[in-house]
Amino acid sequence: VRKLSLRNIIDRVVSSGLHQAMTPFLEQVFHPRSMGFRPRRGTWTLLAQLDQEIVEQNRFILAIDDVRDAFPSVN
């Protein structure tokens, strides 16, 4: 027989409640194109929006620039 203990259950309940209470407020603060760690948004949402904008703007070349200063310790 082994004793089962549920540690940090209060912390998890408080954290979940705080997350549910703060999410609507924080959604108003985030930029509409911000996808990271948001409900119902992620990689696939980003790719779908990117595809939609590429077609709407008739731009079929995707370029990523300004990476020279992104990693200052790498030559």
Side-chain angles (χ1 to χ4, degrees), residues 28-72:
Q28 297 173 0
V29 176
F30 286 132
H31 191 276
R33 292 186 178 183
S34 173
M35 299 290 167
F37 304 105
R38 293 177 69 189
R40 297 175 302 281
R41 294 184 187 219
T43 307
W44 292 108
T45 310
L46 171 71
L47 292 173
Q49 285 184 358
L50 180 62
D51 181 58
Q52 180 181 358
E53 288 190 27
I54 286 172
V55 171
E56 287 175 358
Q57 296 179 12
N58 198 24
R59 297 181 182 192
F60 296 97
I61 297 174
L62 178 63
I64 300 173
D65 60 356
D66 196 26
V67 296
R68 180 180 300 155
D69 295 329
F71 302 100

Side-chain angles (χ1 to χ4, degrees), residues 1-46:
V1 175
R2 186 171 69 151
K3 182 178 179 181
L4 179 64
S5 64
L6 299 173
R7 298 185 204 181
N8 301 326
I9 190 90
I10 294 173
D11 291 340
R12 290 181 185 183
V13 170
V14 170
S15 175
S16 176
L18 183 61
H19 177 71
Q20 288 178 1
M22 293 298 294
T23 296
F25 169 74
L26 292 174
E27 283 296 314
Q28 297 173 0
V29 176
F30 286 132
H31 191 276
R33 292 186 178 183
S34 173
M35 299 290 167
F37 304 105
R38 293 177 69 189
R40 297 175 302 281
R41 294 184 187 219
T43 307
W44 292 108
T45 310
L46 171 71

